[in-house]
Amino acid sequence: MRYFLGIDAGATKTYALLGDESGRLIGLGKGGTGNHQSQGGLPLAMASIARAVEEALAAGGLAPGEVHHAAFCLAGADLPCDYAMLEEAIQERWPDMRFSVHNDSFAGLRAGLTGRWGVVSICGTGTNQAGIGKDGREVQVGGLGGLFGDYGGGADLGRAAVAAVFLAAEQRGVETALTGPVLAALGAADVDDLREKLYRGQIERGRIFALAPLVFEAANRGDQAAQEALIEMGRRMGRSVGGVIRQLNLCDEEVEVVLAGSTWKGNNPLLVDAFRLEVHRVAPRARLIRPRFEPVVGAWLLALERAGLEATDSVCERLAATMPPDLPLNQETNV
């Protein structure tokens, strides 16, 4: 029996999933941030990845060398220099393990595709877009930050919430119901106190990133600033996906666009509506879908396929039947 390991490492959490070639899952491991671009750099990222991998291996009673193939799908694997650095670090940690390194967007893509080609939009803490063409060619855009034209994810939505508060207070924008909730969440007495705390660096970035749910809640109550924040984010991510679709020559195809990441699960439709509009301007036949599996399962499927095996219906059915409770299945695939 051959065993495969899938790793999905993002900005806030890392999962590792172990299973055999039949699709039977036997181990799940967890860690913290696995993105070497986050605070703490490569040492912290590798510590999180190692914790998740070794926990999954221990649950299955396997040594690293007994894994037939491991697919490391890592946030921060963006440029060739990233791949070289990460491959070296993984090889040093587990010299007997056979592995490949991928950007984490391809885990989300593989978790949702019903075929072999399509596009994914990642919207978690940050954003990334990627795709595989009908000819097998891979394209990845984004993931490097605002200076490179990226915009999207919970972090940017949290920043937009804070900006809306200041714009309203200084009469540069519309009044917003976000003011009270944002002040409370960030522990500020008023807008002046918030300004000083931010200026002095007294509020951790993670607390700002955690404000995203407040934007969805305010949008549901009809708040204009919150609604515009969702619409703007959806439009910009839709344009980024449009770029991937154009590069892969899929404009005239019924291309699957997978929505992966926690921020896509927000409870207001404006984000998806605005995104859909921009995508359909480029590819009118595009179909938005939610992945059936969590991204770490997509990473596991990549490991299986890297070994030349096929993710048959029976393999996918066994995956679903043995899925750990921490990785719920999505029963609604259409968006």
Side-chain angles (χ1 to χ4, degrees):
M1 182 66 72
R2 288 173 289 187
Y3 297 91
F4 299 90
L5 187 65
I7 301 93
D8 174 49
T12 56
K13 64 181 182 297
T14 298
Y15 282 134
L17 189 63
L18 179 68
D20 65 32
E21 62 189 280
S22 74
R24 182 175 62 95
L25 299 176
I26 59 175
L28 175 68
K30 303 177 189 178
T33 179
N35 187 344
H36 72 90
Q37 297 168 348
S38 301
Q39 288 183 330
L42 183 62
L44 178 61
M46 281 304 301
S48 296
I49 293 167
R51 188 179 313 121
V53 166
E54 288 161 11
E55 186 178 319
L57 291 173
L62 294 182
E66 294 178 276
V67 174
H68 192 75
H69 192 86
F72 287 81
C73 296
L74 310 178
D78 297 310
L79 299 178
C81 58
D82 297 316
Y83 280 84
M85 177 181 65
L86 292 165
E87 287 168 359
E88 181 180 355
I90 294 167
Q91 184 69 53
E92 182 178 344
R93 180 82 189 201
W94 299 288
D96 298 330
M97 183 181 288
R98 295 173 292 275
F99 69 91
S100 56
V101 174
H102 315 260
N103 182 268
D104 64 326
S105 57
F106 288 98
L109 176 62
R110 186 61 190 86
L113 285 183
T114 62
R116 288 285 189 172
W117 55 274
V119 177
V120 65
S121 176
I122 305 293
C123 190
T125 303
T127 187
N128 213 339
Q129 335 293 327
I132 300 174
K134 297 178 76 173
D135 58 0
R137 186 163 56 94
E138 295 183 355
V139 167
Q140 175 193 335
V141 302
L144 296 175
L147 187 62
F148 298 86
D150 301 337
Y151 188 82
D156 279 334
L157 206 52
R159 294 186 188 102
V162 174
V165 170
F166 286 117
L167 290 172
E170 296 162 0
Q171 299 186 33
R172 293 187 286 154
V174 297
E175 290 297 319
T176 178
L178 285 165
T179 300
V182 167
L183 292 175
L186 298 181
D190 52 34
V191 174
D192 290 335
D193 185 39
L194 177 62
R195 183 184 296 107
E196 183 164 346
K197 281 183 164 66
L198 289 170
Y199 182 75
R200 293 178 176 274
Q202 296 172 342
I203 297 176
E204 294 179 1
R205 289 190 306 171
R207 295 176 67 187
I208 296 173
F209 301 169
L211 298 175
L214 299 181
V215 180
F216 286 99
E217 293 167 9
N220 283 336
R221 296 194 299 270
D223 185 76
Q224 182 181 343
Q227 291 177 347
E228 289 299 328
L230 293 175
I231 291 168
E232 176 66 12
M233 182 172 291
R235 283 175 173 165
R236 292 179 68 169
M237 289 193 301
R239 291 170 192 150
S240 292
V241 161
V244 176
I245 291 172
R246 289 189 185 99
Q247 290 183 60
L248 292 173
N249 299 316
L250 297 175
C251 297
D252 297 325
E253 304 290 342
E254 191 175 334
V255 56
E256 292 181 334
V257 179
V258 179
L259 305 185
S262 57
T263 305
W264 280 126
K265 301 174 184 177
N267 64 345
N268 183 282
L270 287 174
L271 179 64
V272 174
D273 289 348
F275 176 84
R276 188 195 314 271
L277 174 63
E278 294 298 331
V279 171
H280 280 161
R281 284 177 168 173
V282 176
R285 300 175 62 204
R287 183 165 60 91
L288 274 56
I289 62 173
R290 297 194 188 277
R292 180 186 182 193
F293 298 116
E294 290 296 306
V296 68
V297 182
W300 188 91
L301 289 167
L302 285 175
L304 184 80
E305 292 167 349
R306 277 286 171 137
L309 302 181
E310 185 179 353
T312 62
D313 289 343
S314 64
V315 168
C316 292
E317 288 169 6
R318 193 164 286 109
L319 285 174
T322 59
M323 192 67 59
D326 291 24
L327 302 173
L329 291 170
N330 177 25
Q331 302 303 323
E332 296 293 333
T333 57
N334 291 322
V335 181

